[in-house]
Amino acid sequence: VQLQASGGGLVQPGGSLRLSCVVYGFTLDDYAIGWFRQAPGKEREWVSCISVDGSTDYGNPVKGRFTISRDNAQHTVHLQLNSLAPEDTAIYYCAAEHYMRYPKRCPRSYDYWGQGTLVTVSS
């Protein structure tokens, strides 16, 4: 089971990025996916999640600016980041949890994690 996050980079304030999380070794259809981030010197923070049936949820700091989506056929979950601000600078991680039992919900913990992709927002 592997997850590979990509799409990070350097962007100016107000800009956009699209992060991708590609999964290998399991059927994405059966898994809820979460995105987390960790800024330098800070604790890891939950960002967003998408349930098995496509229900979504967002942390307050990103609500209205970030959008999560899933493409099971492509084994990929995307996180669209808009209106980026310097405080969004962090390493972004995706994580997966088998959650067919609760298809409309996001889990509180995840068993599988990707390696992270760095997002830097700076002028």
Side-chain angles (χ1 to χ4, degrees):
V1 174
Q2 284 188 312
L3 295 88
Q4 184 169 356
S6 64
L10 174 63
V11 62
Q12 292 187 342
S16 298
L17 283 174
R18 189 172 83 153
L19 307 183
S20 298
C21 177
V22 180
V23 304
Y24 302 92
F26 62 90
T27 302
L28 180 59
D29 306 48
D30 301 340
Y31 285 75
I33 302 294
W35 281 94
F36 295 77
R37 66 186 182 185
Q38 188 165 20
K42 295 188 176 181
E43 293 189 352
R44 188 174 64 195
E45 175 187 32
W46 171 73
V47 173
S48 179
C49 66
I50 187 164
S51 70
V52 167
D53 78 340
S55 300
T56 60
D57 198 6
Y58 300 90
N60 285 335
V62 309
K63 203 169 290 186
R65 299 187 298 123
F66 292 7
T67 303
I68 191 171
S69 62
R70 63 190 298 152
D71 184 341
N72 290 342
Q74 297 297 320
H75 313 289
T76 303
V77 171
H78 296 292
L79 185 68
Q80 178 69 37
L81 285 57
N82 295 330
S83 302
L84 284 162
E87 52 265 35
D88 294 315
T89 295
I91 299 174
Y92 284 70
Y93 300 89
C94 59
E97 178 71 11
H98 189 275
Y99 227 54
M100 278 297 291
R101 187 175 181 182
Y102 307 103
K104 297 183 182 298
R105 291 164 49 182
C106 285
R108 292 186 178 183
S109 63
Y110 294 82
D111 281 340
Y112 307 104
W113 291 79
Q115 85 290 357
T117 185
L118 176 62
V119 172
T120 304
V121 185
S122 175
S123 55

